[in-house]
Structure formats: C-alpha cells, structure tokens
Amino acid sequence: MNTTLVIMAAGIGSRFGTGIKQLAKMNANGEIIMDYSVYDAKAAGFNKVVFVIRRDIEKEFKEVIGDRISQFIDVAYVYQELTNLPEGFTVPEGRTKPWGTGQAVLACKDVVKEPFVIINADDYYGKEAFVKLHDFLINHQPDEKKHTMALAGFVLEHTLSENGTVTRGICEVDGDGFLTRIVETSGIQVVDGVLTCANDKMQQTLSMRANVSMNMWAAYPDFLEYLDNGFSDFLQGISDNPLKKEYLIPTIVGDMLTKDEVSVQVLETSDHWIGITYREDIAKAQEGFARMTADGTYPQKLWG
C-alpha cells in the first residue's frame, strides 16, 4: 500500500525573526530538519512526500531541499493561499494571516489519494513515531461508521524549548489508548523549576509526563473530504474574529470527537522533539543532530 508524508511548510514563522525558519541548515551538508523527517519517513515505508508551501518561497524551497530529495522519493507541491476559498467566500478586508493547518492539509486533496501522515516542517519527530504511524495506516481497518485516525503522542518534557514558551495540544486518553479530548495550551515553559502555562485550569493538572500532540497525525483520504466539507462552515462562523480565526486540525478533530465522528488512537513515542520556534533554538538543534550523527543514528550525509 502506498503511503504519503504531508509536510506543512507554509508558516510565516514570525517568532523566528527574519528568514525562513523551516530552511535553517542543521549540518555542514546544508541539510535541514525536513531532510531528517523525509529520511525517517522513507525508512519507515513512506514512498511520497507532499510539501505544502507558499508560492513566494517555492524557488528557494526547491533549491534548499526539494530538488535534492526528489532523486530518492516522489515529491509533489501544493500551495496554501489566503485566497483559496470555496465559491461564494472572499478574504475579509485586512486579513493577512493564513487560514491554519486545516486549510494547509486541505490543499492536498487533489494529489493525496492514499493514507497519509501530517507533520510540521520545523519539528523533528524521531524515527519511532514514523514507524508506528506507518504501521497503523498499513495494518488498520478503517471504521465504516466513523473516521479513523492516529496521533503520535509525545511526552511533554521531551518537547520544551529553553528559549521561550511553547504551545502544545495536551491529550486526554482513555484506558484503551484512544484520544478523548485535546486541549491546545499555550505559554508552556519551566520557570525556576516549576512547569507553568497560560491556562489556569490546565495548570492545575499539567504534568511533565503529560501526553502531547506535536501535530503529527495519521489519516485516510476521507479526512480530506471532511476538511473540504467543513471549511465552508468554518468560514461562515468567523464573524467574531475574521482577521485571525484559523481552521486548525486539533480543533477540527476535537469537534469530531465530541460528535463521535472519529476514533483517534494515540501511539506513544519516547523520542525527543527537536524544533525551531525561536532563532536561539538553531544552535541547540544543530547540536542534537550532531550527537545523533556521532552515535550512528544518522549517516554523515543523509542522501546519496
């Protein structure tokens, strides 16, 4: 069975400062975080990569990674555009913010016809999660009565940044390992040895061992149909915040759970996240990949 990796790389990255954070080089070969994700995905059995990008970074994107990896795995590009809206809708005056991860994945509907995994471009997930999600897609029988998905569950303490706060989807999981609720929680950081966040209610129960989402989802093509059908409903309901409201996968899946329209198996991983939220994160990320090269986790040169 063919499986596809969808990489969301259209983010503006305002907290990173100038430059395109997804394209920051991690080693002397010029390889970036996405190289490691594609390498791990290919090793796990994925045979196609779809990059969701902005048209204004297309040339640089292909020069930095796309043209190189296309020699080793099938590559396709789709574009997340602010103006790509259903018939009858227009961009609210003054809106510059993209429509969110739901629209990013929806951009793949014409090129992704097989089971797929979604990831962020600027996050390193580790080998274990790719293997688990790929095996889930291959071995699972989709539920005929509702959508079937999986989520890579990371340990919160493995996903924190030393350089500022992070936002994580805190997962509530039942005894059978299925997601019951996901709460997007911002402002998470450790201050003087104490784990804190911006949500007073979540603060009461937040734990370093909490299971969190890093936006690494496994789904089947019917989820793209669901996103397509739901986007119009979303746009009709943005009158309260038309300039900033986003169509977000965690929110979408949360609503599906409430309506009993989806089952989401949480596949726990012990791997440590590496990401670039802030410019100061670059050096630590480079150190992390250097260690994994030194211990043999990765070759000196990923491709060729």
Side-chain angles (χ1 to χ4, degrees):
M1 181 187 294
N2 291 332
T3 50
T4 289
L5 176 65
V6 173
I7 303 183
M8 299 182 292
I12 294 173
S14 58
R15 287 181 292 182
F16 185 74
T18 58
I20 302 170
K21 68 177 181 176
Q22 293 94 337
L23 306 186
K25 294 176 175 56
M26 292 294 105
N27 59 35
N29 298 320
E31 291 159 344
I32 62 179
I33 285 180
M34 277 180 279
D35 278 292
Y36 290 90
S37 292
V38 174
Y39 184 88
D40 288 341
K42 185 174 185 294
F46 292 85
N47 43 32
K48 180 171 137 186
V49 179
V50 176
F51 291 112
V52 183
I53 62 173
R54 303 192 313 270
R55 289 189 185 274
D56 63 296
I57 67 169
E58 181 175 6
K59 182 177 183 295
E60 183 178 3
F61 194 95
K62 288 181 176 179
E63 290 173 352
V64 172
I65 182 171
D67 292 344
R68 177 174 64 251
I69 69 165
S70 64
Q71 302 173 56
F72 304 94
I73 191 169
D74 288 342
V75 175
Y77 299 90
V78 298
Y79 308 95
Q80 184 179 12
E81 304 287 352
L82 190 62
T83 55
N84 189 7
L85 299 174
E87 185 176 350
F89 292 93
T90 58
V91 178
E93 184 177 355
R95 171 123 188 175
T96 58
K97 190 177 183 66
W99 293 106
T101 53
Q103 191 211 20
V105 176
L106 179 55
C108 302
K109 66 178 181 178
D110 292 331
V111 299
V112 174
K113 306 297 182 182
E114 56 281 319
F116 61 96
V117 161
I118 307 159
I119 65 169
N120 296 328
D122 51 352
D123 289 322
Y124 166 81
Y125 295 91
K127 294 177 177 294
E128 182 183 20
F130 283 106
V131 172
K132 285 189 172 184
L133 291 179
H134 177 269
D135 291 350
F136 172 89
L137 291 173
I138 294 297
N139 298 323
H140 231 69
Q141 289 296 325
D143 193 316
E144 295 181 0
K145 297 181 180 179
K146 53 183 163 183
H147 297 272
T148 302
M149 299 179 68
L151 169 67
F154 289 78
V155 178
L156 177 57
E157 67 178 330
H158 295 168
T159 73
L160 300 176
S161 171
E162 296 177 354
N163 298 305
T165 64
V166 297
T167 297
R168 300 289 180 252
I170 308 299
C171 301
E172 296 180 6
V173 184
D174 68 17
D176 295 319
F178 288 91
L179 186 69
T180 59
R181 185 168 174 250
I182 184 167
V183 182
E184 282 293 289
T185 306
S186 61
I188 302 174
Q189 63 180 332
V190 176
V191 179
D192 296 329
V194 178
L195 182 65
T196 65
C197 70
N199 184 323
D200 290 340
K201 183 174 289 188
M202 290 301 298
Q203 180 70 56
Q204 299 173 22
T205 58
L206 194 63
S207 160
M208 291 288 272
R209 301 299 300 176
N211 217 270
V212 301
S213 164
M214 295 298 299
N215 238 7
M216 190 179 193
W217 303 86
Y220 295 88
D222 61 347
F223 182 59
L224 296 173
E225 296 177 19
Y226 188 94
L227 292 177
D228 198 10
N229 294 332
F231 195 31
S232 294
D233 294 337
F234 162 79
L235 291 169
Q236 288 174 350
I238 65 169
S239 57
D240 58 326
N241 193 2
L243 300 187
K244 293 186 177 181
K245 202 164 187 178
E246 293 183 80
Y247 192 47
L248 299 173
I249 291 174
T251 303
I252 296 163
V253 173
D255 289 342
M256 294 172 75
L257 286 169
T258 300
K259 299 173 185 176
D260 197 28
E261 294 177 335
V262 67
S263 66
V264 183
Q265 187 168 348
V266 179
L267 305 176
E268 295 185 357
T269 174
S270 58
D271 280 333
H272 287 245
W273 164 82
I274 297 176
I276 301 176
T277 304
Y278 305 93
R279 181 168 291 277
E280 294 80 7
D281 290 331
I282 292 179
K284 186 171 180 60
Q286 290 169 335
E287 291 170 4
F289 288 116
R291 284 195 300 272
M292 287 188 285
T293 300
D295 68 17
T297 301
Y298 294 104
Q300 288 287 342
K301 186 177 182 181
L302 294 178
W303 309 107

